[in-house]
Amino acid sequence: MTVLKNSRHEAFCRAVVRGESAAGAYANIYGATGRTAEVNGSKLLRNAAVGERIIELQGTAAKRTTKTVESLVADLDQTIAFARECRNPTAIVAAINAQAKLLGLVVERSELTVMNKPAPLPTKVLELSEEEWTAQFSTSRPGPKPALAGSKRNEVDMRKANGDAIAWDADTASIRRRGVIELD
């Protein structure tokens, strides 16, 4: 298949093969924005001629990449052979290392250390009001600090302040009225 007759379709195909999304390619070529670019970019991808052209361009790019890798490996093979003739082990090792990196057989140390690091644990976002922050972190007030809002200790303190908590010396009748025994 040859170049598409519609130059915008051809440009769209080339943009998609370069790695742009269909919506991004459509927006750049046709000047559309938002939902219009998404819908029409998707429609254009379903066009038979456009789809065939994209596959053709991807195949051509893959062949070029393969030829480049193959040619580099061949050049390195020649370099290794020449280094052997010259009895230069340093050049041999360097060429073999370059070949291994090119073929993806070598993993860099920096990649290994990143892979072994644990993922950060999810944390709850804690927002304090100015009064809560002052109460929690102030050094001017001696004694125990009040609990953060939303914590179990703060809930117990609030129940005690409101008189909702059951005292240890409460009579059995008041405990039965409430129906639940809460331990502080």
Side-chain angles (χ1 to χ4, degrees):
M1 187 175 192
T2 59
V3 177
L4 295 176
K5 291 179 182 177
N6 186 330
S7 63
R8 287 183 171 183
H9 287 189
E10 179 69 22
F12 176 83
C13 293
R14 291 180 183 275
V16 169
V17 170
R18 277 194 311 267
E20 285 188 50
S21 68
Y26 191 90
N28 290 338
I29 294 163
Y30 287 91
T33 59
R35 183 84 175 134
T36 304
E38 291 175 15
V39 171
N40 291 334
S42 177
K43 282 182 184 178
L44 202 52
L45 278 178
R46 290 190 301 254
N47 181 321
V50 170
E52 289 175 14
R53 182 65 176 151
I54 289 173
I55 291 170
E56 181 184 6
L57 290 172
Q58 287 173 336
T60 305
K63 286 179 186 174
R64 265 186 289 165
T65 304
T66 304
K67 286 181 182 177
T68 304
V69 171
E70 287 175 358
S71 65
L72 288 174
V73 169
D75 289 345
L76 288 170
D77 285 337
Q78 290 175 355
T79 305
I80 292 170
F82 181 72
R84 282 194 179 128
E85 287 176 14
C86 297
R87 298 181 186 255
N88 188 346
T90 307
I92 295 172
V93 171
I96 290 172
N97 282 334
Q99 208 171 37
K101 285 181 185 179
L102 181 65
L103 296 173
L105 300 174
V106 174
V107 178
E108 296 293 328
R109 262 184 188 258
S110 60
E111 294 175 22
L112 291 175
T113 55
V114 170
M115 288 190 290
N116 292 332
K117 289 184 181 176
L121 298 175
T123 58
K124 180 181 171 186
V125 175
L126 180 65
E127 294 182 11
L128 300 176
S129 67
E130 187 175 344
E131 294 82 25
E132 289 173 329
W133 190 90
T134 305
Q136 186 70 27
F137 299 107
S138 173
T139 56
S140 62
R141 214 171 70 178
K145 309 268 189 229
L148 296 174
S151 68
K152 292 284 185 189
R153 184 173 144 212
N154 189 39
E155 291 174 14
V156 171
D157 291 343
M158 294 299 288
R159 286 187 184 145
K160 285 181 182 177
N162 295 334
D164 291 343
I166 299 174
W168 285 106
D169 57 349
D171 61 336
T172 309
S174 68
I175 293 174
R176 285 195 182 126
R177 276 194 313 262
R178 292 182 181 193
V180 178
I181 298 177
E182 297 181 27
L183 301 176
D184 295 349

